[in-house]
PDB file of all heavy atoms in Angstrom:
ATOM      1  N   MET A 149     -24.471 -21.450  39.867  1.00  0.00           N
ATOM      2  CA  MET A 149     -25.273 -20.431  39.186  1.00  0.00           C
ATOM      3  C   MET A 149     -25.660 -21.050  37.773  1.00  0.00           C
ATOM      4  O   MET A 149     -26.844 -21.082  37.382  1.00  0.00           O
ATOM      5  CB  MET A 149     -24.671 -19.165  39.104  1.00  0.00           C
ATOM      6  CG  MET A 149     -25.562 -18.080  38.841  1.00  0.00           C
ATOM      7  SD  MET A 149     -24.777 -16.486  39.238  1.00  0.00           S
ATOM      8  CE  MET A 149     -24.937 -16.410  40.993  1.00  0.00           C
ATOM      9  N   SER A 150     -24.574 -21.423  36.966  1.00  0.00           N
ATOM     10  CA  SER A 150     -24.876 -21.927  35.611  1.00  0.00           C
ATOM     11  C   SER A 150     -25.819 -23.250  35.752  1.00  0.00           C
ATOM     12  O   SER A 150     -26.666 -23.474  34.898  1.00  0.00           O
ATOM     13  CB  SER A 150     -23.649 -22.264  34.796  1.00  0.00           C
ATOM     14  OG  SER A 150     -22.974 -21.150  34.566  1.00  0.00           O
ATOM     15  N   SER A 151     -25.469 -24.062  36.763  1.00  0.00           N
ATOM     16  CA  SER A 151     -26.253 -25.274  36.886  1.00  0.00           C
ATOM     17  C   SER A 151     -27.638 -24.929  37.296  1.00  0.00           C
ATOM     18  O   SER A 151     -28.557 -25.647  36.793  1.00  0.00           O
ATOM     19  CB  SER A 151     -25.518 -26.057  38.084  1.00  0.00           C
ATOM     20  OG  SER A 151     -26.365 -27.114  38.517  1.00  0.00           O
ATOM     21  N   ALA A 152     -27.900 -23.881  38.137  1.00  0.00           N
ATOM     22  CA  ALA A 152     -29.184 -23.418  38.470  1.00  0.00           C
ATOM     23  C   ALA A 152     -30.017 -23.001  37.277  1.00  0.00           C
ATOM     24  O   ALA A 152     -31.169 -23.214  37.103  1.00  0.00           O
ATOM     25  CB  ALA A 152     -29.088 -22.379  39.503  1.00  0.00           C
ATOM     26  N   ASP A 153     -29.243 -22.255  36.432  1.00  0.00           N
ATOM     27  CA  ASP A 153     -29.845 -21.757  35.229  1.00  0.00           C
ATOM     28  C   ASP A 153     -30.313 -22.825  34.270  1.00  0.00           C
ATOM     29  O   ASP A 153     -31.442 -22.825  33.726  1.00  0.00           O
ATOM     30  CB  ASP A 153     -28.888 -20.847  34.441  1.00  0.00           C
ATOM     31  CG  ASP A 153     -29.399 -20.251  33.203  1.00  0.00           C
ATOM     32  OD1 ASP A 153     -30.038 -19.150  33.265  1.00  0.00           O
ATOM     33  OD2 ASP A 153     -29.217 -20.812  32.101  1.00  0.00           O
ATOM     34  N   ARG A 154     -29.472 -23.883  34.140  1.00  0.00           N
ATOM     35  CA  ARG A 154     -29.930 -25.074  33.365  1.00  0.00           C
ATOM     36  C   ARG A 154     -31.140 -25.753  34.004  1.00  0.00           C
ATOM     37  O   ARG A 154     -32.076 -26.086  33.309  1.00  0.00           O
ATOM     38  CB  ARG A 154     -28.746 -26.112  33.355  1.00  0.00           C
ATOM     39  CG  ARG A 154     -27.625 -25.769  32.444  1.00  0.00           C
ATOM     40  CD  ARG A 154     -26.680 -26.987  32.065  1.00  0.00           C
ATOM     41  NE  ARG A 154     -26.073 -27.501  33.230  1.00  0.00           N
ATOM     42  CZ  ARG A 154     -24.972 -27.026  33.785  1.00  0.00           C
ATOM     43  NH1 ARG A 154     -24.316 -25.959  33.257  1.00  0.00           N
ATOM     44  NH2 ARG A 154     -24.456 -27.520  34.834  1.00  0.00           N
ATOM     45  N   PHE A 155     -31.147 -25.781  35.351  1.00  0.00           N
ATOM     46  CA  PHE A 155     -32.228 -26.365  36.095  1.00  0.00           C
ATOM     47  C   PHE A 155     -33.599 -25.703  35.787  1.00  0.00           C
ATOM     48  O   PHE A 155     -34.632 -26.276  35.453  1.00  0.00           O
ATOM     49  CB  PHE A 155     -31.964 -26.333  37.566  1.00  0.00           C
ATOM     50  CG  PHE A 155     -32.945 -26.830  38.498  1.00  0.00           C
ATOM     51  CD1 PHE A 155     -32.996 -28.127  38.858  1.00  0.00           C
ATOM     52  CD2 PHE A 155     -33.754 -25.913  39.150  1.00  0.00           C
ATOM     53  CE1 PHE A 155     -33.920 -28.711  39.758  1.00  0.00           C
ATOM     54  CE2 PHE A 155     -34.768 -26.392  40.132  1.00  0.00           C
ATOM     55  CZ  PHE A 155     -34.838 -27.756  40.442  1.00  0.00           C
ATOM     56  N   VAL A 156     -33.573 -24.402  35.808  1.00  0.00           N
ATOM     57  CA  VAL A 156     -34.793 -23.506  35.540  1.00  0.00           C
ATOM     58  C   VAL A 156     -35.163 -23.634  34.109  1.00  0.00           C
ATOM     59  O   VAL A 156     -36.318 -23.907  33.820  1.00  0.00           O
ATOM     60  CB  VAL A 156     -34.561 -22.033  35.976  1.00  0.00           C
ATOM     61  CG1 VAL A 156     -35.798 -21.264  35.591  1.00  0.00           C
ATOM     62  CG2 VAL A 156     -34.209 -21.938  37.532  1.00  0.00           C
ATOM     63  N   ARG A 157     -34.223 -23.444  33.245  1.00  0.00           N
ATOM     64  CA  ARG A 157     -34.471 -23.545  31.692  1.00  0.00           C
ATOM     65  C   ARG A 157     -35.056 -24.864  31.335  1.00  0.00           C
ATOM     66  O   ARG A 157     -35.872 -24.939  30.366  1.00  0.00           O
ATOM     67  CB  ARG A 157     -33.280 -23.210  30.962  1.00  0.00           C
ATOM     68  CG  ARG A 157     -32.951 -21.781  30.808  1.00  0.00           C
ATOM     69  CD  ARG A 157     -31.646 -21.503  30.107  1.00  0.00           C
ATOM     70  NE  ARG A 157     -31.162 -20.203  30.367  1.00  0.00           N
ATOM     71  CZ  ARG A 157     -31.324 -19.163  29.639  1.00  0.00           C
ATOM     72  NH1 ARG A 157     -31.804 -19.212  28.466  1.00  0.00           N
ATOM     73  NH2 ARG A 157     -30.839 -17.987  30.093  1.00  0.00           N
ATOM     74  N   ALA A 158     -34.711 -25.949  32.002  1.00  0.00           N
ATOM     75  CA  ALA A 158     -35.167 -27.284  31.661  1.00  0.00           C
ATOM     76  C   ALA A 158     -36.618 -27.369  32.030  1.00  0.00           C
ATOM     77  O   ALA A 158     -37.281 -28.424  31.795  1.00  0.00           O
ATOM     78  CB  ALA A 158     -34.257 -28.353  32.243  1.00  0.00           C
ATOM     79  N   GLY A 159     -37.053 -26.421  32.917  1.00  0.00           N
ATOM     80  CA  GLY A 159     -38.489 -26.512  33.311  1.00  0.00           C
ATOM     81  C   GLY A 159     -38.678 -27.460  34.406  1.00  0.00           C
ATOM     82  O   GLY A 159     -39.872 -27.881  34.739  1.00  0.00           O
ATOM     83  N   VAL A 160     -37.703 -27.944  35.114  1.00  0.00           N
ATOM     84  CA  VAL A 160     -37.876 -28.947  36.185  1.00  0.00           C
ATOM     85  C   VAL A 160     -38.119 -28.374  37.603  1.00  0.00           C
ATOM     86  O   VAL A 160     -38.305 -29.192  38.460  1.00  0.00           O
ATOM     87  CB  VAL A 160     -36.697 -29.930  36.118  1.00  0.00           C
ATOM     88  CG1 VAL A 160     -36.702 -30.752  34.865  1.00  0.00           C
ATOM     89  CG2 VAL A 160     -35.338 -29.347  36.438  1.00  0.00           C
ATOM     90  N   TRP A 161     -37.989 -27.101  37.790  1.00  0.00           N
ATOM     91  CA  TRP A 161     -38.198 -26.498  39.068  1.00  0.00           C
ATOM     92  C   TRP A 161     -39.519 -26.952  39.664  1.00  0.00           C
ATOM     93  O   TRP A 161     -39.530 -27.444  40.857  1.00  0.00           O
ATOM     94  CB  TRP A 161     -37.972 -24.968  39.170  1.00  0.00           C
ATOM     95  CG  TRP A 161     -37.972 -24.282  40.398  1.00  0.00           C
ATOM     96  CD1 TRP A 161     -37.895 -24.896  41.663  1.00  0.00           C
ATOM     97  CD2 TRP A 161     -37.988 -22.902  40.592  1.00  0.00           C
ATOM     98  NE1 TRP A 161     -37.948 -23.997  42.657  1.00  0.00           N
ATOM     99  CE2 TRP A 161     -37.988 -22.642  42.004  1.00  0.00           C
ATOM    100  CE3 TRP A 161     -38.065 -21.784  39.725  1.00  0.00           C
ATOM    101  CZ2 TRP A 161     -38.048 -21.417  42.600  1.00  0.00           C
ATOM    102  CZ3 TRP A 161     -38.175 -20.524  40.375  1.00  0.00           C
ATOM    103  CH2 TRP A 161     -38.141 -20.294  41.689  1.00  0.00           C
ATOM    104  N   PRO A 162     -40.638 -26.817  38.961  1.00  0.00           N
ATOM    105  CA  PRO A 162     -41.959 -27.205  39.580  1.00  0.00           C
ATOM    106  C   PRO A 162     -42.020 -28.681  39.742  1.00  0.00           C
ATOM    107  O   PRO A 162     -42.861 -29.170  40.584  1.00  0.00           O
ATOM    108  CB  PRO A 162     -42.902 -26.788  38.447  1.00  0.00           C
ATOM    109  CG  PRO A 162     -42.284 -25.802  37.619  1.00  0.00           C
ATOM    110  CD  PRO A 162     -40.821 -26.225  37.647  1.00  0.00           C
ATOM    111  N   ILE A 163     -41.105 -29.438  39.082  1.00  0.00           N
ATOM    112  CA  ILE A 163     -41.329 -30.952  39.270  1.00  0.00           C
ATOM    113  C   ILE A 163     -40.313 -31.467  40.389  1.00  0.00           C
ATOM    114  O   ILE A 163     -40.730 -32.160  41.302  1.00  0.00           O
ATOM    115  CB  ILE A 163     -40.819 -31.661  37.922  1.00  0.00           C
ATOM    116  CG1 ILE A 163     -41.946 -31.196  36.832  1.00  0.00           C
ATOM    117  CG2 ILE A 163     -40.894 -33.156  38.117  1.00  0.00           C
ATOM    118  CD1 ILE A 163     -41.330 -31.228  35.475  1.00  0.00           C
ATOM    119  N   LYS A 164     -39.074 -30.933  40.284  1.00  0.00           N
ATOM    120  CA  LYS A 164     -38.042 -31.530  41.229  1.00  0.00           C
ATOM    121  C   LYS A 164     -38.031 -30.718  42.584  1.00  0.00           C
ATOM    122  O   LYS A 164     -37.507 -31.165  43.561  1.00  0.00           O
ATOM    123  CB  LYS A 164     -36.628 -31.488  40.638  1.00  0.00           C
ATOM    124  CG  LYS A 164     -36.529 -32.395  39.537  1.00  0.00           C
ATOM    125  CD  LYS A 164     -35.043 -32.647  39.228  1.00  0.00           C
ATOM    126  CE  LYS A 164     -34.792 -33.649  38.083  1.00  0.00           C
ATOM    127  NZ  LYS A 164     -33.374 -33.662  37.602  1.00  0.00           N
ATOM    128  N   GLY A 165     -38.570 -29.515  42.524  1.00  0.00           N
ATOM    129  CA  GLY A 165     -38.631 -28.694  43.759  1.00  0.00           C
ATOM    130  C   GLY A 165     -37.251 -28.144  44.092  1.00  0.00           C
ATOM    131  O   GLY A 165     -36.705 -27.387  43.367  1.00  0.00           O
ATOM    132  N   GLU A 166     -36.659 -28.508  45.385  1.00  0.00           N
ATOM    133  CA  GLU A 166     -35.475 -27.895  45.767  1.00  0.00           C
ATOM    134  C   GLU A 166     -34.274 -28.151  44.930  1.00  0.00           C
ATOM    135  O   GLU A 166     -34.047 -29.294  44.479  1.00  0.00           O
ATOM    136  CB  GLU A 166     -35.200 -28.363  47.212  1.00  0.00           C
ATOM    137  CG  GLU A 166     -36.127 -27.783  48.219  1.00  0.00           C
ATOM    138  CD  GLU A 166     -36.052 -26.262  48.459  1.00  0.00           C
ATOM    139  OE1 GLU A 166     -34.974 -25.774  48.790  1.00  0.00           O
ATOM    140  OE2 GLU A 166     -37.007 -25.592  48.071  1.00  0.00           O
ATOM    141  N   PHE A 167     -33.546 -27.091  44.710  1.00  0.00           N
ATOM    142  CA  PHE A 167     -32.237 -27.217  44.001  1.00  0.00           C
ATOM    143  C   PHE A 167     -31.165 -27.136  45.169  1.00  0.00           C
ATOM    144  O   PHE A 167     -31.402 -26.461  46.161  1.00  0.00           O
ATOM    145  CB  PHE A 167     -32.080 -25.966  43.083  1.00  0.00           C
ATOM    146  CG  PHE A 167     -30.775 -25.864  42.334  1.00  0.00           C
ATOM    147  CD1 PHE A 167     -30.776 -26.665  41.204  1.00  0.00           C
ATOM    148  CD2 PHE A 167     -29.797 -25.084  42.749  1.00  0.00           C
ATOM    149  CE1 PHE A 167     -29.481 -26.683  40.517  1.00  0.00           C
ATOM    150  CE2 PHE A 167     -28.610 -25.144  42.094  1.00  0.00           C
ATOM    151  CZ  PHE A 167     -28.429 -25.844  40.915  1.00  0.00           C
ATOM    152  N   PRO A 168     -30.047 -27.966  44.989  1.00  0.00           N
ATOM    153  CA  PRO A 168     -29.207 -28.127  46.135  1.00  0.00           C
ATOM    154  C   PRO A 168     -28.541 -26.739  46.479  1.00  0.00           C
ATOM    155  O   PRO A 168     -28.327 -25.949  45.680  1.00  0.00           O
ATOM    156  CB  PRO A 168     -28.137 -29.058  45.602  1.00  0.00           C
ATOM    157  CG  PRO A 168     -28.512 -29.383  44.167  1.00  0.00           C
ATOM    158  CD  PRO A 168     -29.748 -28.825  43.817  1.00  0.00           C
ATOM    159  N   LEU A 169     -28.289 -26.596  47.783  1.00  0.00           N
ATOM    160  CA  LEU A 169     -27.598 -25.410  48.294  1.00  0.00           C
ATOM    161  C   LEU A 169     -26.111 -25.323  47.750  1.00  0.00           C
ATOM    162  O   LEU A 169     -25.503 -26.313  47.612  1.00  0.00           O
ATOM    163  CB  LEU A 169     -27.507 -25.502  49.791  1.00  0.00           C
ATOM    164  CG  LEU A 169     -28.787 -25.230  50.683  1.00  0.00           C
ATOM    165  CD1 LEU A 169     -28.416 -25.267  52.103  1.00  0.00           C
ATOM    166  CD2 LEU A 169     -29.355 -23.880  50.293  1.00  0.00           C
ATOM    167  N   GLY A 170     -25.678 -24.156  47.634  1.00  0.00           N
ATOM    168  CA  GLY A 170     -24.275 -23.949  47.332  1.00  0.00           C
ATOM    169  C   GLY A 170     -23.484 -23.542  48.581  1.00  0.00           C
ATOM    170  O   GLY A 170     -23.869 -23.802  49.655  1.00  0.00           O
ATOM    171  N   SER A 171     -22.172 -23.146  48.201  1.00  0.00           N
ATOM    172  CA  SER A 171     -21.320 -22.799  49.331  1.00  0.00           C
ATOM    173  C   SER A 171     -21.048 -21.352  49.337  1.00  0.00           C
ATOM    174  O   SER A 171     -21.067 -20.678  48.246  1.00  0.00           O
ATOM    175  CB  SER A 171     -20.052 -23.701  49.121  1.00  0.00           C
ATOM    176  OG  SER A 171     -19.045 -23.390  50.078  1.00  0.00           O
ATOM    177  N   LYS A 172     -20.740 -20.785  50.542  1.00  0.00           N
ATOM    178  CA  LYS A 172     -20.707 -19.360  50.751  1.00  0.00           C
ATOM    179  C   LYS A 172     -19.385 -18.841  50.130  1.00  0.00           C
ATOM    180  O   LYS A 172     -18.298 -19.401  50.430  1.00  0.00           O
ATOM    181  CB  LYS A 172     -20.854 -19.151  52.202  1.00  0.00           C
ATOM    182  CG  LYS A 172     -20.914 -17.673  52.674  1.00  0.00           C
ATOM    183  CD  LYS A 172     -21.038 -17.555  54.192  1.00  0.00           C
ATOM    184  CE  LYS A 172     -21.253 -16.166  54.597  1.00  0.00           C
ATOM    185  NZ  LYS A 172     -22.710 -16.022  54.931  1.00  0.00           N
ATOM    186  N   LEU A 173     -19.351 -17.790  49.477  1.00  0.00           N
ATOM    187  CA  LEU A 173     -18.075 -17.158  49.068  1.00  0.00           C
ATOM    188  C   LEU A 173     -17.398 -16.345  50.185  1.00  0.00           C
ATOM    189  O   LEU A 173     -16.203 -16.433  50.497  1.00  0.00           O
ATOM    190  CB  LEU A 173     -18.220 -16.255  47.867  1.00  0.00           C
ATOM    191  CG  LEU A 173     -17.038 -15.399  47.445  1.00  0.00           C
ATOM    192  CD1 LEU A 173     -15.743 -16.242  47.216  1.00  0.00           C
ATOM    193  CD2 LEU A 173     -17.335 -14.574  46.263  1.00  0.00           C
ATOM    194  N   SER A 174     -18.273 -15.495  50.841  1.00  0.00           N
ATOM    195  CA  SER A 174     -17.738 -14.617  51.833  1.00  0.00           C
ATOM    196  C   SER A 174     -16.975 -15.457  52.956  1.00  0.00           C
ATOM    197  O   SER A 174     -17.630 -16.438  53.410  1.00  0.00           O
ATOM    198  CB  SER A 174     -18.839 -13.826  52.435  1.00  0.00           C
ATOM    199  OG  SER A 174     -19.366 -12.905  51.573  1.00  0.00           O
ATOM    200  N   GLY A 175     -15.885 -15.105  53.281  1.00  0.00           N
ATOM    201  CA  GLY A 175     -15.130 -15.804  54.284  1.00  0.00           C
ATOM    202  C   GLY A 175     -14.179 -16.940  53.816  1.00  0.00           C
ATOM    203  O   GLY A 175     -13.390 -17.488  54.521  1.00  0.00           O
ATOM    204  N   LYS A 176     -14.297 -17.342  52.489  1.00  0.00           N
ATOM    205  CA  LYS A 176     -13.476 -18.343  51.996  1.00  0.00           C
ATOM    206  C   LYS A 176     -11.937 -17.973  51.899  1.00  0.00           C
ATOM    207  O   LYS A 176     -11.691 -16.747  51.807  1.00  0.00           O
ATOM    208  CB  LYS A 176     -13.900 -18.774  50.545  1.00  0.00           C
ATOM    209  CG  LYS A 176     -15.119 -19.552  50.436  1.00  0.00           C
ATOM    210  CD  LYS A 176     -14.815 -21.085  50.590  1.00  0.00           C
ATOM    211  CE  LYS A 176     -16.047 -21.918  50.335  1.00  0.00           C
ATOM    212  NZ  LYS A 176     -17.131 -21.687  51.360  1.00  0.00           N
ATOM    213  N   ARG A 177     -11.153 -18.968  52.064  1.00  0.00           N
ATOM    214  CA  ARG A 177      -9.651 -18.697  51.989  1.00  0.00           C
ATOM    215  C   ARG A 177      -9.293 -18.819  50.507  1.00  0.00           C
ATOM    216  O   ARG A 177      -9.411 -19.914  49.919  1.00  0.00           O
ATOM    217  CB  ARG A 177      -8.933 -19.704  52.852  1.00  0.00           C
ATOM    218  CG  ARG A 177      -9.190 -19.610  54.370  1.00  0.00           C
ATOM    219  CD  ARG A 177      -8.606 -20.824  55.050  1.00  0.00           C
ATOM    220  NE  ARG A 177      -9.058 -21.968  54.392  1.00  0.00           N
ATOM    221  CZ  ARG A 177      -8.475 -23.230  54.633  1.00  0.00           C
ATOM    222  NH1 ARG A 177      -7.405 -23.309  55.287  1.00  0.00           N
ATOM    223  NH2 ARG A 177      -8.940 -24.298  54.075  1.00  0.00           N
ATOM    224  N   VAL A 178      -8.773 -17.800  49.860  1.00  0.00           N
ATOM    225  CA  VAL A 178      -8.496 -17.943  48.391  1.00  0.00           C
ATOM    226  C   VAL A 178      -6.943 -17.633  48.190  1.00  0.00           C
ATOM    227  O   VAL A 178      -6.439 -16.635  48.600  1.00  0.00           O
ATOM    228  CB  VAL A 178      -9.331 -16.824  47.627  1.00  0.00           C
ATOM    229  CG1 VAL A 178      -9.057 -17.004  46.119  1.00  0.00           C
ATOM    230  CG2 VAL A 178     -10.837 -17.084  47.913  1.00  0.00           C
TER     231      VAL A 178
END
Side-chain angles (χ1 to χ4, degrees):
Chain A
M149 205 166 277
S150 293
S151 169
D153 181 84
R154 286 196 295 278
F155 178 82
V156 176
R157 278 176 202 257
V160 296
W161 188 11
I163 300 155
K164 291 197 180 170
E166 286 296 294
F167 182 79
L169 285 185
S171 179
K172 191 182 183 94
L173 171 56
S174 291
K176 282 271 183 303
R177 299 169 306 160
V178 183

